[in-house]
Amino acid sequence: MAEQKATNVTWHDHRVSKEERCQQNGHKGAVLWFTGLSGSGKSTIANTVDHKLFEQGKHTFVLDGDNIRMGLNKNLGFSPEDRTENIRRIGEVSKLYTDAGILVMTAFISPYREDRDQVREILGDGEFIEVFVKASLETCEERDPKGLYKKARAGEIKGFTGIDAPYEEPEKAELILDSDGKGIDDLADEVVAYLESNGYLSI
């Protein structure tokens, strides 16, 4: 995903394996990658899923796009190159959570299909669960919880996904959530049901 610039570095194996960590946690580690337009409900659904799983005693965490851009990725903007690097970094962080046997939910627009597929490639089989939060542009503009669409339409924000920058819908998402027609709690229940039926919530 990126050129290895550091030299004279050696990988150190851990004495505690990923399998042992999952066994102790009582469930598998995986990444639930919520992708969709701004205003589609990614962060709200991810946090609701997180709460439902936490209540079940599962080990979970949410990585939210805006929050990450206030710390780890505060030096990145919204150019295509910076968007790609943003997702690359989050992919690597998500892999660390997965190796620790944690169910991590990421809520990022992540507009480019290639970037999302590259994250899938660095994870093990079944560890990347792409969740497409599907909502029409009209719905997202109507919601506009942060007022960003209004600013983009007025020309105050350039390169805004869905307005003057592209969003590439997933071609092989494990889950598609109908955010136009269903409520947050119902959509979160669909995600939890997927995890249960596919054996992620047990060992």
Side-chain angles (χ1 to χ4, degrees):
M1 293 175 69
E3 178 187 356
Q4 176 71 45
K5 292 186 176 180
T7 58
N8 299 313
V9 292
T10 302
W11 180 266
H12 287 271
D13 291 324
H14 297 285
R15 290 187 64 179
V16 180
S17 70
K18 175 166 60 178
E19 292 71 24
E20 289 171 319
R21 294 182 190 279
C22 290
Q23 190 69 42
Q24 186 175 79
N25 290 346
H27 59 79
K28 296 174 182 175
V31 179
L32 291 104
W33 192 279
F34 292 83
T35 177
L37 293 171
S38 178
S40 60
K42 300 179 299 298
S43 293
T44 308
I45 298 169
N47 275 281
T48 304
V49 172
D50 180 46
H51 183 259
K52 288 176 179 289
L53 294 177
F54 181 81
E55 290 292 297
Q56 293 183 23
K58 310 305 181 187
H59 297 255
T60 61
F61 197 74
V62 176
L63 297 173
D64 179 78
D66 282 359
N67 292 359
I68 294 296
R69 283 183 175 276
M70 293 181 181
L72 176 66
N73 291 348
K74 68 191 302 181
N75 65 325
L76 297 177
F78 291 93
S79 68
E81 296 79 13
D82 279 3
R83 287 179 183 271
T84 292
E85 175 61 14
N86 182 51
I87 298 307
R88 187 195 71 80
R89 292 183 191 179
I90 297 310
E92 294 290 354
V93 171
S94 298
K95 187 177 186 298
L96 295 176
Y97 275 95
T98 303
D99 288 346
I102 294 171
L103 290 162
V104 58
M105 281 135 280
T106 72
F108 292 81
I109 294 173
S110 46
Y112 304 129
R113 194 176 296 123
E114 181 180 1
D115 294 346
R116 300 190 303 264
D117 287 345
Q118 286 184 341
V119 177
R120 184 187 291 272
E121 288 175 10
I122 69 170
L123 291 160
D125 290 343
E127 290 181 344
F128 183 86
I129 304 166
E130 191 170 31
V131 183
F132 177 29
V133 184
K134 189 172 185 178
S136 67
L137 179 60
E138 292 73 24
T139 295
C140 294
E141 282 202 71
E142 188 175 306
R143 293 172 179 167
D144 202 10
K146 304 172 187 176
L148 299 178
Y149 283 101
K150 185 177 180 180
K151 290 181 179 179
R153 290 293 189 190
E156 297 174 25
I157 300 176
K158 302 296 184 183
F160 191 78
T161 303
I163 303 299
D164 58 349
Y167 177 77
E168 299 170 359
E169 293 190 1
E171 294 180 334
K172 52 185 177 182
E174 280 72 18
L175 266 173
I176 299 177
L177 303 181
D178 176 14
S179 184
D180 276 330
K182 297 181 181 179
I184 295 298
D185 210 54
D186 288 339
L187 295 174
D189 284 341
E190 288 184 25
V191 177
V192 174
Y194 175 89
L195 295 174
E196 288 176 342
S197 63
N198 287 275
Y200 287 94
L201 302 186
S202 59
I203 294 296

